[in-house]
Amino acid sequence: MFQTLPSRFAEILSPKNIKQRGELLLSAIDRVIAFDKLNPEELQAYQFEKLKSLVSEAYHNVPLYWKKYHEAGFDPASLKTMQDLYRIPLITKADLRNAGLRSIKNFARKEPVWLFSSSGSTGVPSRVYREEQALWHFMARSLVIYKNWCAGKPLVNVLYITDLAAGSIDFALADLLQTTVIEKRILGSSLPTPELVHAIELFQPEFISSYPSTIRSIAIAMHRCGKIFKGLKLLHLTSEMLEQTTRSLITTVFPHAKIVETYTSSEAGLIAYSCGTHPSRLHIAETEVLFEILDNDGKPTNKVGQSVVTDLINHCTPMIRYCGLGDYAALDHSNCECGTTHRSIKTLEGRISDSIVTPDGGLISPYLLIDAIEEIAGIYQFQIVQSSKNSLKIRIIHDISSRSNQANVQTSVHDALKKVVPSMIIDVDFVSTISSENNRHKIPLVVSLGFGSHSPSTFSL
């Protein structure tokens, strides 16, 4: 059954630091509200000024960018208009990953920072520094969006089910979230599914924030028992794509919940979010990011192409024309009835992860598996595939630049996953490439046996 655990965060909040955090959050909210008052011309001018400042600062203070721009013959001083954006060299995940921590950090910045590690949506681990003010901005923007989702009347009975692995951006945001939410309402997504179901029954939340894979496991468990929860009014999903099968199951178990989504990443923060009027439409967070879609030749396209993002908020590890998200998207050029002047995303193909089915029929969170191995030295890229109810196949591209040989990597991965799923056979294979399937651009990070293998037989789509 669900139990209250000791604090998972480094600092027990006192009235003094709660007040300090509140002031930081309110200040960030003021900035976000000021951003939202910009008209289209002011927004474009703001984006360009931020871009120029970021490019210049990165070139002079971040070794990764100095090297990249110097080798490409790009002079930041030549950036005169937004049309020059396409002359700025792209930054890849390989650039970020291979640069080393000293090369990705802005050495001129002295404010408090967090170091995040994430396999992201591709299974390629990378690290990013993010300054605390950028996290407060992320939190403030999220609260403003949340209020909009609630039509100006925020729900107070909430439950957050998130990745609490140390070093993840969601852990850092959960820590800051304590400014407005008590800790017992913030649960780890890696908790056993029955405990998460019990927490929902205990707290009876009107709002839940989590991941599609986590809510899918909860919905499957509840549906198996014939449970329907009608008290949920708003369900926020992030980090993964919500495919139609999961959406159908969720709406069966939570029939009164409006489903909203955000498109986020550890590297670039908040990128897009569901419209408060039309939740199926994703508006780009234009004051937080510059968002591009490029074809295979690196040119802008109106069709489905590769997502490229520039983070306008974080300076500690600048993300300027970053193409390492691995996501594919297309723009919707029609105007939204909500009145926003921000562009919208029509198609988005992002991270797909699913819960693993254990031999006894239980479900294991994909985040528990990802967190267990993504920090192991010697892994360049990985994919976790459930080949049967009793076994997992781990595909690994070896990082030949590391000091870890394949035998050590194989043993480390095997032992780490055995601790998570001791009842399963762990098979570690080294491969030269990891490919997508079923005509998708995106490579699933965790592949389960499929919905039919662990969905209730009475459920029909």
Side-chain angles (χ1 to χ4, degrees):
M1 284 299 181
F2 175 74
Q3 297 179 352
T4 301
L5 301 175
S7 176
R8 293 147 296 193
F9 303 104
E11 184 180 63
I12 304 298
L13 297 184
S14 67
K16 180 180 179 180
N17 55 38
I18 287 178
K19 181 177 182 294
Q20 291 172 337
R21 284 178 168 218
E23 291 171 350
L24 289 170
L25 180 57
L26 288 174
S27 176
I29 290 175
D30 287 342
R31 290 194 297 272
V32 167
I33 292 174
F35 280 157
D36 290 343
K37 294 179 180 179
L38 298 178
N39 61 40
E41 293 75 22
E42 291 171 333
L43 174 60
Q44 292 178 12
Y46 161 79
Q47 288 180 324
F48 182 61
E49 288 305 312
K50 286 293 293 185
L51 177 66
K52 284 199 304 181
S53 175
L54 281 166
V55 168
S56 177
E57 187 173 6
Y59 178 75
H60 290 101
N61 302 327
V62 184
L64 164 65
Y65 282 91
W66 182 89
K67 183 174 184 294
K68 186 82 174 183
Y69 292 173
H70 184 72
E71 290 176 348
F74 172 71
D75 181 0
S78 67
L79 192 61
K80 302 298 184 182
T81 72
M82 191 61 87
Q83 296 305 313
D84 295 326
L85 170 67
Y86 308 109
R87 296 177 46 247
I88 303 173
L90 296 171
I91 293 294
T92 67
K93 175 156 278 195
D95 289 332
L96 190 64
R97 186 178 188 276
N98 296 332
L101 293 181
R102 292 184 178 180
S103 293
I104 66 172
K105 192 174 188 297
N106 184 338
F107 56 77
R109 294 272 173 168
K110 305 301 181 183
E111 60 264 52
V113 298
W114 291 68
L115 175 61
F116 299 127
S117 176
S118 174
S119 59
S121 56
T122 60
V124 182
S126 62
R127 289 187 170 186
V128 174
Y129 286 103
R130 198 165 187 83
E131 62 224 43
E132 194 162 291
Q133 67 84 20
L135 289 174
W136 283 116
H137 187 100
F138 193 146
M139 181 67 65
R141 171 56 72 189
S142 298
L143 289 175
V144 170
I145 292 170
Y146 174 60
K147 185 177 180 181
N148 184 254
W149 286 337
C150 298
K153 298 178 180 179
L155 304 169
V156 296
N157 188 356
V158 302
L159 187 64
Y160 289 80
I161 306 173
T162 189
D163 182 13
L164 295 180
S168 71
I169 190 171
D170 287 344
F171 174 81
L173 292 170
D175 183 36
L176 300 187
L177 188 62
Q178 291 184 92
T179 308
T180 58
V181 178
I182 60 175
E183 186 180 345
K184 68 179 181 179
R185 294 299 185 108
I186 306 171
L187 306 179
S189 58
S190 60
L191 284 173
T193 301
E195 290 192 25
L196 297 176
V197 172
H198 180 68
I200 292 174
E201 295 173 337
L202 175 65
F203 293 123
Q204 296 285 301
E206 296 177 293
F207 168 74
I208 293 177
S209 176
S210 191
Y211 314 111
S213 58
T214 302
I215 296 299
R216 177 178 174 175
S217 295
I218 290 171
I220 289 172
M222 292 179 68
H223 196 277
R224 281 175 174 172
C225 300
K227 296 178 179 179
I228 295 178
F229 180 51
K230 297 181 179 181
L232 189 64
K233 297 179 180 179
L234 185 65
L235 175 61
H236 166 230
L237 300 173
T238 191
S239 294
E240 306 161 359
M241 294 308 302
L242 176 61
E243 40 79 31
Q244 188 55 48
T245 302
T246 298
R247 182 184 289 272
S248 298
L249 174 59
I250 289 172
T251 55
T252 298
V253 176
F254 303 106
H256 296 161
K258 179 170 75 172
I259 299 174
V260 292
E261 300 177 79
T262 52
Y263 175 25
T264 65
S265 73
S266 296
E267 298 96 332
L270 177 69
I271 300 171
Y273 55 91
S274 284
C275 173
T277 306
H278 301 285
S280 62
R281 186 163 184 152
L282 286 175
H283 294 317
I284 298 169
E286 303 272 26
T287 55
E288 280 70 41
V289 298
L290 273 177
F291 187 72
E292 308 170 59
I293 298 176
L294 305 182
D295 62 19
N296 292 333
D297 295 323
K299 297 180 180 179
T301 179
N302 289 323
K303 299 179 180 179
V304 174
Q306 185 178 21
S307 296
V308 176
V309 64
T310 297
D311 183 354
L312 301 176
I313 304 300
N314 185 49
H315 297 80
C316 197
T317 298
M319 288 291 111
I320 303 172
R321 302 203 77 207
Y322 179 63
C323 63
L325 297 176
D327 299 328
Y328 288 79
L331 292 177
D332 186 342
H333 294 283
S334 63
N335 295 326
C336 184
E337 293 177 5
C338 75
T340 183
T341 57
H342 293 188
R343 295 174 300 161
S344 301
I345 295 174
K346 177 171 59 177
T347 303
L348 179 61
E349 187 177 318
R351 173 178 182 163
I352 302 172
S353 297
D354 197 8
S355 298
I356 294 298
V357 187
T358 59
D360 62 1
L363 297 170
I364 297 290
S365 165
Y367 290 92
L368 204 57
L369 303 171
I370 294 167
D371 292 339
I373 68 171
E374 68 177 352
E375 289 293 324
I376 294 175
I379 297 177
Y380 183 82
Q381 186 175 4
F382 69 88
Q383 183 184 50
I384 301 171
V385 180
Q386 183 166 19
S387 49
S388 73
K389 285 190 175 182
N390 300 306
S391 61
L392 293 179
K393 182 180 291 292
I394 319 303
R395 297 170 178 163
I396 293 177
I397 297 177
H398 184 228
D399 182 2
I400 58 176
S401 66
S402 74
R403 297 181 180 180
S404 298
N405 59 43
Q406 289 191 4
N408 290 339
V409 175
Q410 186 175 43
T411 299
S412 297
V413 170
H414 177 274
D415 292 350
L417 290 177
K418 264 296 184 180
K419 293 178 181 178
V420 179
V421 282
S423 61
M424 301 186 76
I425 298 170
I426 309 297
D427 184 14
V428 181
D429 285 345
F430 289 92
V431 297
S432 57
T433 59
I434 298 176
S435 303
S436 60
E437 299 176 354
N438 300 324
N439 297 317
R440 298 188 66 90
H441 294 99
K442 197 73 175 179
I443 299 172
L445 195 54
V446 180
V447 182
S448 183
L449 290 175
F451 180 80
S453 66
H454 54 281
S455 61
S457 59
T458 57
F459 185 64
S460 173
L461 295 177

